[in-house]
Amino acid sequence: MASAGGRGEGAAPSKILRLHPETLAVQAEIPLERKGFGIALDDAGNRLYVGNTNDGSVTAIDTATHRVVGVVQLTEKAKVKGPDGKEVERFPYNFREIAVDPANHRLYMPGLRAQDSALFVVDTRALKLEKIVSGFGFMATGVALDAQGGKLYVSNLQGQVFTVDTRTLAATQAEAPGDQLINLALAPSAQRLLATDQGLPNLDSMRAKQPALASYQQRGKGNQVLVLNAADSKLVASLPTGAGPLAMLVDEPRQRLYVTSRNAGTVSVFDTRTNALLQTIALPTYPNSLALDARRNALYVTVKNGQSDPKGSNESVARIQF
């Protein structure tokens, strides 16, 4: 787990926490110099990659020694206009999701921003930036890798899905029947691409303020998972969720899809064969990310603090036994 730490003077530092898979007791802490956010594990390579969302970089950790082995700077600070029109110096892109491609020794990281998002490709052997691919629209957030098919999928918050050829890094774009495709997941056996369509009013307002999107026509209702044909992003089914769906995890052997809904405080369980809702699991607000231990039949959910939680209190992780 990544703990981003606090803000301001005297705030808790950022770190990686290693937990016992059954008791959830903290077994080790790995300090981070930069605030960690998204993580991706390359188990075979003994590497954990941590996205430094607000610092324009990614940190590589050796999971055998618990040591940081390198930091790859993806972008440099630049002067940009803030919401009030004044120039401020900051990193032009933010990073949240990471896809690991062990066979090609790469990381794929969408760099999101309002004007023109980009895909950052990192060489994991040399620990250096390999290429930046531009043209991913308003707030590119979701990413999913089809390693066997040689395809990478990227989504954004203007209802677009991009298919990237991992050999050439050429991208094609398709429109999807949703507006806020925040996260992606793959169901490879059915050739389905899944997207959480959040439907948050503040994101719609942000998009409406972009001059390049002045003619954008809203086409989604939000609070749903879109089941898309992976080949062309055509809609196969729409699965209603609780408010603010975010993370997804496909469990192919069990034919299950798990979805967190942050604002509703729930995890939805769907049958991937029939798309039927099987169960809704109540959790404290806000359930966030997911991980599965298939051997122990356990699902893990990180839970962010809600508005009623004491300021500065620790956040948590839930273990759901199946």
Side-chain angles (χ1 to χ4, degrees):
M1 295 172 55
S3 171
R7 296 180 180 179
E9 188 175 349
S14 184
K15 56 191 172 185
I16 294 295
L17 303 173
R18 193 189 78 191
L19 307 185
H20 189 282
E22 293 179 353
T23 67
L24 301 183
V26 177
Q27 295 181 307
E29 296 185 5
I30 305 170
L32 298 173
E33 291 185 358
R34 306 181 182 197
K35 290 186 179 298
F37 188 71
I39 62 175
L41 181 65
D42 177 5
D43 223 356
N46 291 326
R47 284 281 178 88
L48 179 71
Y49 298 98
V50 185
N52 307 312
T53 298
N54 299 320
D55 293 297
S57 60
V58 59
T59 297
I61 295 172
D62 186 317
T63 55
T65 64
H66 293 174
R67 294 182 181 275
V68 172
V69 294
V71 176
V72 182
Q73 192 65 47
L74 304 173
T75 182
E76 300 295 336
K77 283 187 176 180
K79 288 186 177 180
V80 298
K81 285 188 177 181
D84 57 0
K86 296 181 179 179
E87 280 194 340
V88 294
E89 190 175 49
R90 64 175 179 83
F91 292 102
Y93 295 92
N94 293 114
F95 300 89
R96 59 185 299 277
E97 293 288 295
I98 307 171
V100 181
D101 185 357
N104 292 311
H105 307 286
R106 279 176 170 170
L107 301 180
Y108 303 105
M109 300 178 63
L112 65 95
R113 67 176 180 177
Q115 292 79 16
D116 182 21
S117 301
L119 178 67
F120 289 71
V121 183
V122 175
D123 181 333
T124 57
R125 286 179 295 190
L127 281 182
K128 68 176 185 180
L129 180 63
E130 179 180 332
K131 190 171 183 179
I132 303 173
V133 185
S134 60
F136 286 82
F138 173 73
M139 297 289 188
T141 54
V143 63
L145 176 66
D146 177 2
Q148 188 172 358
K151 295 178 181 178
L152 180 81
Y153 299 94
V154 179
S155 63
N156 65 21
L157 302 188
Q158 65 180 88
Q160 295 176 323
V161 175
F162 298 83
T163 304
V164 181
D165 186 320
T166 56
R167 296 166 299 172
T168 65
L169 297 179
T172 57
Q173 173 258 317
E175 305 293 324
D179 300 291
Q180 299 179 15
L181 309 186
I182 186 79
N183 274 6
L184 295 177
L186 273 171
S189 62
Q191 287 298 296
R192 298 292 185 250
L193 179 67
L194 311 174
T196 39
D197 181 20
Q198 281 204 303
L200 301 181
N202 65 318
L203 294 180
D204 288 336
S205 299
M206 287 175 58
R207 185 179 57 238
K209 293 177 182 177
Q210 301 305 310
L213 299 174
S215 61
Y216 182 86
Q217 296 294 315
Q218 200 161 327
R219 54 183 180 269
K221 57 186 179 181
N223 299 327
Q224 61 182 341
V225 171
L226 302 178
V227 182
L228 308 173
N229 182 12
D232 56 15
S233 298
K234 298 295 184 183
L235 183 67
V236 176
S238 173
L239 313 182
T241 67
L246 180 63
M248 292 176 292
L249 193 152
V250 175
D251 182 1
E252 286 240 295
R254 295 171 180 78
Q255 298 177 314
R256 297 289 183 265
L257 168 68
Y258 310 109
V259 185
T260 58
S261 294
R262 275 176 56 94
N263 294 354
T266 59
V267 173
S268 301
V269 184
F270 294 93
D271 186 317
T272 55
R273 298 166 301 174
T274 65
N275 295 322
L277 176 64
L278 301 177
Q279 189 177 3
T280 301
I281 303 168
L283 288 173
T285 306
Y286 299 99
N288 200 62
S289 54
L290 293 163
L292 178 69
D293 185 341
R295 185 166 61 88
R296 293 181 175 86
N297 296 317
L299 180 72
Y300 302 94
V301 189
T302 59
V303 181
K304 305 289 287 183
N305 283 345
Q307 293 181 353
S308 61
D309 291 305
K311 187 176 180 180
S313 61
N314 289 337
E315 295 181 326
S316 58
V317 58
R319 183 183 190 274
I320 299 170
Q321 187 72 52
F322 292 111

